[in-house]
């Protein structure tokens, strides 16, 4: 787990502003092959493994591409959140931006890497905005489980 935290007070013509930024990465090791993890990750219609998300409006078989916008419903507060796919490197990385609340910019990046001991899956969260500390306090216990839940779901899908 890696945590970077930044808090700045900025004085300007409009008054005193506070800028908050948080970057956190979680990693998990899986016995599942990279291809299986990647297929589980890019299946936008199935978010059953994600402790933060409940459902999505993405149709089955939709492949994420940069510029794609779809909606998800969170488990914590059942409201639809728009998701914008920013970057996709097939078999390696997918980066999305959550467009939920004004005052919070939330970027999520999933990375899949093959190693000697197995396959690593990383879940990185970058939050900016003045409401970020409150939102982070609320989702932190769930965000800590995302990478491990993805790895476990991919391992259950592998037929031995």
């Amino acid at each position: 787990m890696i945590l970077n935290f930044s808090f700045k007070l900025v004085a300007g013509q409009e008054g005193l502003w506070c800028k908050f930024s948080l970057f956190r990465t979680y990693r998990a090791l899986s016995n599942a092959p990279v291809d299986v993890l990647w297929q589980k990750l890019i299946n936008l219609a199935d978010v059953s493994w994600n402790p933060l998300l409940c459902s999505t409006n993405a149709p089955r078989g939709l492949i994420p591409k940069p510029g794609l916008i779809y909606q998800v419903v969170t488990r914590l507060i059942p409201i639809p959140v728009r998701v914008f796919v920013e970057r996709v490197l097939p078999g390696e990385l997918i980066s999305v931006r959550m467009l939920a609340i004004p005052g919070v910019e939330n970027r999520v990046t999933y990375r899949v890497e093959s190693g000697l001991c197995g396959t690593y899956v990383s879940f990185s969260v970058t939050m900016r905005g003045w409401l970020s500390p409150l939102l982070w306090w609320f989702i932190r216990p769930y965000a800590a489980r995302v990478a491990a839940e993805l790895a476990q779901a991919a391992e259950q899908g592998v037929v031995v």
Side-chain angles (χ1 to χ4, degrees), residues 47-108:
V47 291
S48 61
W49 55 268
N50 195 321
L52 290 169
L53 306 178
C54 182
S55 64
T56 179
N57 72 346
R60 290 192 185 275
L62 180 66
I63 297 171
K65 297 175 184 153
L68 175 69
I69 297 176
Y70 63 100
Q71 285 186 346
V72 296
V73 176
T74 63
R75 291 186 194 270
L76 306 174
I77 302 171
I79 57 169
V81 174
R82 290 177 39 193
V83 177
F84 175 73
V85 178
E86 290 185 319
R87 188 172 168 207
V88 177
L89 294 174
E92 185 178 335
L93 173 130
I94 183 168
S95 176
V96 298
R97 185 174 298 203
M98 305 283 197
L99 309 169
I101 305 169
V104 177
E105 177 187 328
N106 187 9
R107 179 178 292 141
V108 174

Side-chain angles (χ1 to χ4, degrees), residues 1-40:
M1 174 175 57
I2 302 165
L3 172 68
N4 290 331
F5 172 76
S6 166
F7 180 77
K8 296 178 186 177
L9 285 174
V10 179
Q13 293 177 353
E14 297 87 25
L16 192 63
W17 292 91
C18 113
K19 290 186 177 184
F20 179 82
S21 175
L22 174 114
F23 176 77
R24 193 161 205 167
T25 298
Y26 299 95
R27 286 183 82 186
L29 180 64
S30 174
N31 293 329
V34 172
D35 294 338
V36 173
L37 267 165
W38 182 251
Q39 289 303 315
K40 192 70 167 173

